[in-house]
């Protein structure tokens, strides 16, 4: 079977990370959470009180060593050898990450790394611009969406599970603001990529989302094998 690239984009709380991780597990692929990379840059910049300029933020992004490791408990995010898996989910990072990720030099540095990570296929990558910019030729592109209310409840549950105390109104504000910022920025805004399959996850379980994506991957593989077989006769 061909080692393909599966690109999963969508707004915050649409279910990208959990779904992408499970799809990768089922296929024996590598899962790459690109949001975690933008979060790591934001964390480093906040800690160093880096000025909010394209150049300064671009330097942070270009010099930071970010490693995504798969562990039995999920994905570990290592930043300059420090485990920042929890720290990158803090309210402070979440409140600044959209602004940081809109800087063109930050995107340039991270997109370059993401392309290197996916050079040989066999990956499931999630984010905002994977199917549109990072891998516009990905074999399977998914655009995950869900009702705002549903996304707020999901994020609230995640925050509670992490022991955070945040009100529903604050989560809603964060999600709505982040969606608006991520969709309206001039550099690689969140869009449904050409050829992406839109899946509304509002009433779907994670298992159902995973199965839908696996079916699309399977359809691609079958089509590819038929087309390749024909190619041999021409
Ligand atoms: O998926 P997430 O919530 O962890 O992403 C955090 C932020 O990073 C999100 O608000 C926008 C940005 N991001 C991006 O601009 N491009 C990506 N490919 C992934 C995330």
């Amino acid at each position: 079977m061909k080692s393909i690239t599966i690109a999963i984009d969508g707004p915050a709380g649409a279910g990208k990370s959990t779904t992408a991780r499970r799809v990768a597990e089922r296929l024996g692929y590598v899962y790459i959470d690109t949001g975690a990379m933008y979060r790591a840059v934001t964390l480093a910049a906040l800690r160093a009180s880096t000025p909010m300029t394209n150049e300064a933020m671009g330097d942070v992004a270009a010099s930071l060593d970010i490693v995504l490791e798969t562990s039995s408990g999920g994905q570990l995010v290592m930043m300059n050898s420090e485990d920042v898996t929890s720290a990158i989910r803090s309210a402070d990072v979440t409140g600044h990450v959209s602004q940081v990720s809109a800087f063109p030099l930050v995107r340039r540095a991270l997109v370059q790394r993401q392309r290197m990570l996916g050079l040989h296929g066999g990956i499931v990558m999630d984010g905002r611009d994977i199917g549109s910019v990072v891998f516009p030729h990905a074999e399977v592109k998914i655009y995950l969406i869900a009702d705002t209310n549903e996304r707020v409840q999901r994020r609230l549950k995640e925050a509670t599970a992490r022991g955070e105390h945040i009100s529903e109104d604050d989560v809603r504000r964060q999600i709505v603001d982040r969606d608006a910022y991520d969709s309206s920025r001039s550099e690689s805004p969140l869009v449904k990529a050409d050829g992406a399959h839109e899946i509304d996850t509002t009433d779907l379980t994670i298992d159902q989302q995973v199965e839908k994506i696996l079916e699309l991957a399977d359809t691609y593989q079958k089509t590819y094998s038929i087309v390749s077989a024909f190619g041999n006769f021409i």
Side-chain angles (χ1 to χ4, degrees), residues 77-177:
V77 184
M78 308 299 291
M79 183 178 92
N80 293 341
S81 305
E82 176 193 347
D83 182 351
V84 293
T85 313
S86 306
I88 60 165
R89 307 279 159 202
S90 72
D92 202 17
V93 170
T94 302
H96 288 88
V97 65
S98 280
Q99 213 181 333
V100 171
S101 61
F103 288 117
L105 288 178
V106 171
R107 304 205 71 80
R108 191 182 300 171
L110 295 191
V111 167
Q112 200 174 24
R113 286 191 209 183
Q114 290 154 11
R115 286 186 178 144
M116 292 297 289
L117 290 169
L119 207 55
H120 304 294
I123 56 155
V124 182
M125 191 174 275
D126 81 354
R128 302 294 188 287
D129 61 341
I130 311 306
S132 56
V133 174
V134 183
F135 290 115
H137 302 298
E139 286 86 352
V140 177
K141 295 186 196 179
I142 308 291
Y143 192 64
L144 280 192
I145 55 162
D147 260 11
T148 304
N149 279 340
E150 175 64 23
R151 295 191 289 125
V152 169
Q153 294 312 318
R154 289 177 189 173
R155 279 286 141 109
L156 206 53
K157 230 189 209 171
E158 284 168 15
T160 309
R162 281 198 300 271
E164 270 172 43
H165 300 288
I166 184 163
S167 73
E168 186 170 331
D169 281 351
D170 284 345
V171 174
R172 185 178 307 277
R173 202 170 311 118
Q174 270 181 6
I175 283 190
V176 170
D177 287 355

